[in-house]
Amino acid sequence: MTYPVKNISISINKPADEVYQFASNPENFPAWVAFIKSTTREKANIWAAKTDLGNIKIAFTPKNNLGIIDHLVTLPDGSTVNNPMRVVANGKGSEFIFTLFWMPGRTEEEFNQDAKMVESDLQDLKNILEKG
């Protein structure tokens, strides 16, 4: 069984390696992921975050040269959500891609609201990176 997905992307006028370095650093998440208020490293690739939803755990894929920023988020209720993210070269800039899964129990309205939040976060990421 598969879940419906929406791939949300944004073009960023910065080189892919620069976007990857910023976006893959969990310390930067509060600057561009609206619901995350703070992050604290617990282990090598495991971070705790204070969010609008309560305290969560985030397990990141190790640093890599492929632009992969996949991470598993464990929510306060113990459920885990897979968040695939990619940075790929696009000319002299890059494309940032987030795959949003429509999880069981979420209504269409909630899924669409989640997508709008991701789109807003990606716009914030673009704005931060293109200013610098």
Side-chain angles (χ1 to χ4, degrees), residues 28-129:
N28 293 329
F29 271 41
W32 65 278
V33 181
F35 85 100
I36 294 183
K37 304 307 174 200
S38 66
T39 58
T40 306
R41 181 190 304 264
E42 290 195 341
K43 297 180 193 173
N45 293 322
I46 309 292
W47 290 70
K50 293 182 191 268
T51 75
D52 293 340
L53 305 173
N55 295 329
I56 63 172
K57 300 281 184 200
I58 310 171
F60 288 91
T61 191
K63 292 281 186 181
N64 60 80
N65 294 324
L66 302 172
I68 299 168
I69 315 174
D70 293 0
H71 55 285
L72 297 173
V73 174
T74 303
L75 300 171
D77 68 3
S79 62
T80 301
V81 179
N82 182 23
N83 292 296
M85 294 193 312
R86 301 287 187 280
V87 179
V88 296
N90 180 356
K92 292 183 180 180
S94 60
E95 198 70 18
F96 191 97
I97 307 155
F98 183 98
T99 300
L100 177 66
F101 290 96
W102 187 345
M103 301 305 294
R106 302 287 287 169
T107 66
E108 183 175 359
E109 182 179 335
E110 289 170 324
F111 179 69
N112 290 333
Q113 187 176 41
D114 289 345
K116 286 181 182 176
M117 290 187 336
V118 170
E119 289 166 358
S120 178
D121 289 345
L122 297 189
Q123 185 63 53
D124 288 344
L125 177 65
K126 175 183 175 79
N127 292 343
I128 290 167
L129 288 167

